[in-house]
Amino acid sequence: MAMQVTRIGGRRVLFVMATDHEYGPCLAERFVPLITGVGPVEAAIGTTQGLAGMAELPDLVVSIGSAGSRRLPLGSIWQVASVSWRDMDATRIGVPKGVTPFSDHPAEMALTMPLDWPVARLSTGADIVGGSDYDGIDADMVDMETFAVLRACQRFGVPVMGLRGVSDGPGELEALGGLTAMLGVLDERLAVAVDRLG
């Protein structure tokens, strides 16, 4: 499946997803995404490679898919207000947690928010979060890709928005089924949000 830029409301939009497990029939009627793979490293590599290979850059990149949350209802869809990278910890050398040493960006960065839609703060990391792990995370939702997608897009000067649906969070997450059970519902509800982009 080769990615395609989708024209929405006069804009050229590239949708970025971690895996085709999140790419259900409703979303498939609306766009063909760039699939990067799971986690910050794969997302950064995949997004960079995708943008570098384009003859014309998109007007907007949408990081879209599922997220975990212990604060927000299962099945709810959120526009990402800001994203941070929870893995980055250089506090031993006096750098605040979440700040990348010698970088030119803060720990938490705002995303483009073109929709009149509920917003939530997001934390990206390389771990699947569950149970008491949420206690140490200063954000409403967690994912594994959006911060990396944003950093890659910043190198190309392309704005990024995030759309995430809550697939898991309450209780302890012990198996893959806990992540995938809600994906059909999220497919339908994310599609409604995508339609609002027009």
Side-chain angles (χ1 to χ4, degrees), residues 10-94:
R11 284 182 294 202
R12 301 175 71 255
V13 181
L14 176 64
F15 292 87
V16 177
M17 305 185 81
T19 169
D20 56 12
H21 291 90
E22 300 172 309
Y23 183 55
C26 295
L27 293 178
E29 291 177 358
R30 290 158 172 82
F31 61 81
V32 178
L34 167 62
I35 301 289
T36 64
V38 175
V41 172
E42 300 305 314
I45 293 170
T47 303
T48 300
Q49 186 175 34
L51 292 174
M54 299 176 74
E56 183 181 357
L57 291 171
D59 300 309
L60 178 68
V61 166
V62 181
S63 175
I64 185 170
S66 62
S69 179
R70 204 164 60 176
R71 303 178 186 176
L72 306 175
L74 281 175
S76 59
I77 306 299
W78 300 86
Q79 183 174 211
V80 178
S82 61
V83 65
S84 56
W85 184 17
R86 65 181 176 272
D87 298 333
M88 179 51 68
D89 187 350
T91 54
R92 282 188 172 86
I93 60 170

Side-chain angles (χ1 to χ4, degrees), residues 33 67 107 111 141 163:
L111 270 66
M141 302 184 293
L163 281 175

Side-chain angles (χ1 to χ4, degrees), residues 5 7-8 16 20 35 49 72-73 91 111 117 126 135 143 152 157 161 165 171 177 191 197:
V5 171
R7 289 199 173 272
I8 301 177
V16 177
D20 56 12
I35 301 289
Q49 186 175 34
L72 306 175
T91 54
L111 270 66
W117 194 274
D135 295 341
D143 82 343
M161 77 168 293
L197 277 172

Side-chain angles (χ1 to χ4, degrees), residues 119-177:
V119 300
R121 294 168 60 232
L122 179 65
S123 170
T124 293
D127 58 330
I128 292 177
V129 179
S132 61
D133 295 342
Y134 281 101
D135 295 341
I137 297 173
D138 179 22
D140 303 306
M141 302 184 293
V142 296
D143 82 343
M144 301 177 75
E145 294 83 27
T146 299
F147 187 93
V149 172
L150 174 62
R151 289 297 289 137
C153 289
Q154 286 175 336
R155 295 298 177 97
F156 291 86
V158 178
V160 177
M161 77 168 293
L163 281 175
R164 292 281 162 173
V166 179
S167 60
D168 59 276
E172 184 55 77
L173 184 62
E174 297 178 343
L176 179 61

